[in-house]
């Protein structure tokens, strides 16, 4: 067992820097002037990262990413509105579940988990159904790791005169979404993914004019973005107890993100992590679910090896004992597992993870990670 914390090769919560963790070793009053300034800076920086300065505002919320997605749907889709949800994985399906709870009218357009959303099909669905006012899409569907073509989807939604809502949870901070080029009314993300903070904070980056029109829409008090925004603008404070330690750690994480070169720098490190991982796993015989052109540098899905000696539990435990935490699969289309490339990890950690994979395979007596059954006598 290594003497360090485990390295989290997962889609988050993920490995954070020592300095991000250390930022939490203080107590702050929620009405403290310094804490209020941190909140202001955090909100401004998140808007800047989305290219939204001047037209967008950031509304943070207590809770995990799902809270932010739920708040976004509950506020932006009016009680009598109709939403088109583009689904190619579990997080798209979750948006439909939220609409069921909130009794919002919606239609689902669905693709298999290994297929990207098709903008032409979105254009057709919008042309056929004039009652649809908003479209919701997941940028990187973490279920498989697929990157949806956000710019193309945004273009067809804008052309049809509808509004776009984005779940950018697992990509924001590493894959650019610039509001000056991609038209969206709201984008939800959280502290504990590519921005490398600790869990506990979600946020929605909202086009200010569109947010201003959501008064009275939310079926939830604690998730009412309009109310939260108004209170923050007036007092600089949170309506209800803020996740203070998480926020100060996030402020530190945002400084480290900027020091790394912002979205470009963070994206570069993750792409390199992903390349090392995929090449190394392929050398060991593993196959990725997705072709490289559809793969986001966030989390990679691998097919389960065909060798009967391969048992996922043993594989998982063997890696865990060596200090690497991976993730089970979440697919319905194939038996699989996932390895993440995000968090405070770089080339050396990815190489070490590959060495651990090889060692555990050796222990299990698995010669290849190939998902293909070997021909008899081969
Ligand atoms: C794309 C996407 N949306 C939503 C969520 C939900 O976030 P949380 O688990 O923080 O509620 C996740 C979590 O991994 C995600 O990847």
């Amino acid at each position: 067992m290594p003497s360090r914390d485990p390295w989290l090769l997962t889609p988050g919560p993920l490995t954070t820097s020592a300095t991000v963790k250390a930022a939490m070793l203080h107590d702050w009053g929620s009405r403290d002037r310094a804490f209020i300034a941190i909140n202001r800076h955090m909100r401004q920086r998140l808007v800047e990262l989305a290219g939204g300065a001047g037209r967008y505002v950031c509304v943070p919320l207590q809770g995990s990413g799902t809270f932010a997605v739920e708040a976004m749907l509950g506020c932006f889709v009016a009680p009598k509105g109709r939403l088109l949800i583009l689904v190619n994985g579990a997080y798209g399906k979750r948006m439909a579940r939220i609409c069921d709870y909130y009794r919002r009218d919606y239609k689902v357009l669905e693709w298999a988990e290994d297929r990207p959303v098709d903008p032409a099909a979105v254009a057709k669905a919008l042309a056929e159904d004039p009652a649809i006012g908003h479209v919701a899409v997941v940028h990187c569907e973490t279920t498989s790791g697929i990157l949806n073509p956000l710019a193309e989807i945004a273009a067809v939604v804008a052309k049809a005169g509808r509004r776009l809502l984005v779940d950018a949870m697992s990509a924001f901070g590493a894959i650019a979404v610039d509001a000056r080029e991609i038209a969206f009314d709201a984008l939800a993300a959280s502290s504990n993914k590519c921005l490398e903070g600790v869990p506990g904070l979600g946020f929605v980056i909202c086009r200010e004019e569109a947010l201003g029109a959501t008064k009275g829409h939310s079926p939830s008090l604690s998730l009412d973005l309009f109310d939260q925004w108004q209170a923050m603008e007036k007092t600089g404070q949170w309506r209800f107890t803020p996740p203070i330690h998480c926020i100060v750690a996030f402020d530190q994480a945002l400084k480290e993100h900027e020091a790394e070169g912002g979205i470009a720098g963070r994206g570069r490190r993750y792409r390199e992590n992903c390349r090392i991982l995929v090449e190394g796993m392929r050398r060991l015989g593993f196959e990725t679910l997705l072709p490289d052109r559809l793969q986001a540098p966030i989390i990679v899905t691998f097919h389960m090896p065909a060798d009967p000696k391969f048992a996922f539990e043993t594989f998982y435990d063997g890696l865990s004992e060596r200090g690497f935490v991976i993730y089970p699969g979440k697919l319905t289309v194939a038996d699989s597992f996932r390895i993440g490339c995000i968090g405070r990890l770089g080339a050396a950690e990815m190489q070490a993870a590959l060495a651990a994979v090889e060692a555990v395979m050796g222990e299990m007596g698995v010669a290849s990670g190939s998902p293909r059954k070997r021909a008899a006598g081969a």
Side-chain angles (χ1 to χ4, degrees):
M1 206 52 171
S3 56
R4 54 169 174 79
D5 283 347
W7 285 333
L8 305 175
L9 301 163
T10 68
L14 33 73
T15 298
T16 55
S17 70
T19 32
V20 163
K21 288 186 268 283
M24 292 185 286
L25 295 175
H26 298 281
D27 296 318
W28 301 70
S30 61
R31 297 177 194 287
D32 191 302
R33 237 188 262 147
F35 178 65
I36 288 173
I38 285 176
N39 279 289
R40 196 182 321 112
H41 170 256
M42 169 186 80
R43 292 177 59 211
Q44 270 169 4
R45 180 65 187 148
L46 292 170
V47 168
E48 272 170 32
L49 286 176
R55 283 197 307 136
Y56 285 73
V57 291
C58 172
V59 187
L61 285 174
Q62 300 90 336
S64 80
T66 306
F67 291 54
V69 174
E70 186 163 329
M72 173 173 79
L73 299 183
C75 291
F76 281 86
V77 183
K80 290 204 159 48
R82 181 163 159 80
L83 176 69
L84 177 66
I85 307 177
L86 311 177
V87 174
N88 59 344
Y91 296 104
K93 285 192 181 134
R94 188 173 297 176
M95 293 204 272
R97 270 196 87 198
I98 292 169
C99 288
D100 288 335
Y101 270 76
Y102 280 13
R103 298 183 200 287
R104 291 293 195 260
D105 186 26
Y106 68 90
K107 176 188 165 91
V108 163
L109 215 51
E110 189 161 358
W111 291 263
E113 290 149 337
D114 54 356
R115 295 273 177 276
V117 166
D118 173 11
V122 178
K124 185 166 172 285
L126 292 178
E128 285 168 2
D129 192 341
I132 293 169
H134 290 80
V135 178
V137 67
V138 180
H139 190 188
C140 165
E141 228 322 335
T142 328
T143 310
S144 62
I146 200 167
L147 189 65
N148 280 319
L150 190 60
E152 290 82 349
I153 296 164
V156 301
V157 172
K159 193 165 174 215
R162 319 301 169 81
R163 304 289 179 192
L164 186 66
L165 308 175
V166 186
D167 170 352
M169 205 65 59
S170 59
F172 189 73
I175 301 177
V177 179
D178 191 317
R180 289 161 296 200
E181 290 157 15
I182 293 180
F184 63 85
D185 266 9
L187 175 149
S190 72
S191 52
N192 61 276
K193 301 237 186 250
C194 301
L195 292 169
E196 298 186 359
V198 302
L201 180 82
F203 55 88
V204 186
I205 295 170
C206 311
R207 194 166 61 82
E208 185 168 351
E209 199 185 329
L211 178 63
T214 66
K215 187 175 182 186
H217 287 179
S218 177
S220 158
L221 169 66
S222 47
L223 298 182
D224 187 344
L225 293 173
F226 182 87
D227 203 48
Q228 176 84 329
W229 172 50
Q230 292 289 294
M232 282 198 164
E233 292 296 319
K234 275 196 201 98
T235 65
Q237 294 173 11
W238 290 63
R239 288 175 304 163
F240 315 127
T241 303
I244 291 189
H245 298 82
C246 168
I247 293 167
V248 293
F250 193 43
D251 184 52
Q252 174 63 25
L254 286 172
K255 287 184 187 136
E256 292 175 17
H257 181 261
E258 195 168 357
E260 192 176 353
I263 294 170
R266 182 73 35 105
R268 199 175 310 120
R269 174 160 58 86
Y270 289 174
R271 279 194 299 279
E272 183 61 3
N273 284 353
C274 186
R275 186 192 64 75
I276 292 169
L277 174 70
V278 168
E279 282 182 14
M281 291 293 279
R282 284 182 180 152
R283 261 198 309 276
L284 296 172
F286 290 91
E287 288 186 17
T288 57
L289 172 80
L290 299 170
D292 294 349
R293 70 190 157 79
L294 297 179
Q295 177 70 60
I298 306 293
I299 189 161
V300 182
T301 299
F302 295 97
H303 286 284
M304 215 53 104
D307 189 326
K309 291 200 282 301
F310 186 90
F312 181 71
E313 289 293 311
T314 317
F315 183 61
Y316 181 95
D317 291 345
L319 289 175
S320 175
E321 277 160 24
R322 287 166 172 78
F324 299 91
V325 176
I326 62 164
Y327 229 51
K330 204 179 169 102
L331 292 185
T332 52
V333 292
D335 197 14
S336 62
F337 65 91
R338 292 176 290 171
I339 302 186
C341 7
I342 61 179
R344 184 100 318 236
L345 303 170
E349 289 77 16
M350 300 316 282
Q351 297 289 5
L354 289 167
V357 167
E358 194 166 6
V360 177
M361 284 169 71
E363 264 175 21
M364 288 194 292
V366 173
S368 165
S370 171
R372 291 162 209 280
K373 293 217 167 35
R374 293 169 73 193

